[in-house]
Amino acid sequence: MQDDVWSPPPVLLTVDLVILTLREGRLCVLLVERGEDPFQGMQALPGGFLNHAGEEILDAAHRELAEETALGAGWVHLEQLATYGDASRDPRGRVVSVAHLAIAPGLPAPVAGTDATDASWVPADAVLNGDVKLAFDHHRIVTDGIERARTKLEFSALATAFCGELFTITELQQVYEAVWGTELDTRNFYRKVQAVKGFIVPAGSGRRSTGGRPARLYRAGPRTVLFPPLIRPTPSPTEEETTEGAG
């Protein structure tokens, strides 16, 4: 008896982008409004299918970054986040997504493209607490992307990706506060940052007016791994209750 000839199941591959930036001191994620089914009219992450079988996944991520939002690579920090492949995640069939995390400072108002009818920056907390409903499994992907950013701020120099080329320590502290969602003690933060040699370096003698005493300017240093790390504060019971109530 001859065995049946096996053929691989049809699987499609997409890339999805969790694009984070700070706007007016708040952590925001880029969302697009879907212009076609499935989930037409719902908010979703920018992304799409591979253009052709020979397109590299990272190239597809860079392409989608430009096509969906009119944002170029530029200062954007881009890294692979995770792969999402639940069999029921897409009603069109078996679709596997390779999600990427993108971070950049002061990103402009986005311009929707391809199959999106609109694109906008949405406060991350509105997505995390469920106020903004997302298509597919994109709430899970956003949650994972933000948690990746929060964790990497403790052990890596990722925070500088949210800043411009030159920044003050106060501006760097605002990044940590926005991403972690908690206020930090200024003196303690300054001491911890200065204890990590090579994390940030002075940018000459330049200073920036902040309404009071001019603040010294810094740039990202050569160190990419922080030691000692900047450990995220444990939320107080009041903060935890507020977070639970928001859901």
Side-chain angles (χ1 to χ4, degrees):
M1 178 176 176
Q2 187 176 4
D3 292 336
D4 293 336
V5 177
W6 178 86
S7 60
V11 177
L12 297 174
L13 186 65
T14 67
V15 293
D16 287 306
L17 302 173
V18 181
I19 306 174
L20 302 177
T21 194
L22 263 59
R23 295 180 69 83
E24 298 180 354
R26 300 184 71 181
L27 180 66
C28 292
V29 59
L30 185 64
L31 299 179
V32 298
E33 181 181 326
R34 288 188 56 79
E36 57 186 40
D37 285 327
F39 305 111
Q40 182 176 8
M42 286 192 67
Q43 299 272 54
L45 292 171
F49 293 98
L50 297 184
N51 254 351
H52 51 81
E55 185 176 33
E56 298 293 343
I57 293 176
L58 183 58
D59 291 340
H62 280 294
R63 174 179 53 76
E64 288 293 340
L65 185 67
E67 287 184 0
E68 295 280 10
T69 66
L71 298 176
W75 289 89
V76 177
H77 166 91
L78 186 66
E79 66 176 68
Q80 192 172 118
L81 174 62
T83 300
Y84 299 84
D86 289 354
S88 60
R89 65 179 301 274
D90 193 316
R92 293 169 294 189
R94 191 64 188 271
V95 180
V96 175
S97 173
V98 181
H100 290 71
L101 175 64
I103 294 171
L107 291 177
V111 178
T114 61
D115 61 351
T117 59
D118 191 21
S120 60
W121 293 107
V122 177
D125 55 4
V127 177
L128 293 177
N129 64 28
D131 286 346
V132 177
K133 304 298 182 182
L134 301 185
F136 305 104
D137 54 356
H138 288 185
H139 181 273
R140 175 189 174 191
I141 298 176
V142 170
T143 301
D144 290 349
I146 292 174
E147 182 57 31
R148 165 77 67 85
R150 287 173 171 172
T151 300
K152 291 194 72 171
L153 255 61
E154 298 185 64
F155 302 99
S156 78
L158 182 66
T160 60
F162 285 95
C163 300
E165 182 180 4
L166 302 179
F167 52 86
T168 66
I169 289 185
T170 297
E171 290 168 340
L172 186 66
Q173 179 177 334
Q174 290 170 350
V175 170
Y176 278 88
E177 291 179 334
V179 177
W180 283 348
T182 186
E183 292 186 4
L184 302 175
D185 179 79
T186 299
R187 290 186 178 180
N188 192 36
F189 180 79
Y190 182 90
R191 177 180 57 80
K192 288 183 177 180
V193 168
Q194 295 289 3
V196 184
K197 301 302 181 184
F199 176 22
I200 60 174
V201 295
S205 59
R207 292 181 178 270
R208 177 174 297 163
S209 175
T210 58
R213 183 179 178 182
R216 190 172 191 178
L217 292 174
Y218 294 82
R219 67 175 76 247
R223 181 176 291 274
T224 57
V225 178
L226 305 187
F227 186 82
L230 276 66
I231 301 301
R232 188 186 341 177
T234 302
S236 65
T238 302
E239 289 176 327
E240 290 179 339
E241 291 171 5
T242 301
T243 302
E244 291 173 0

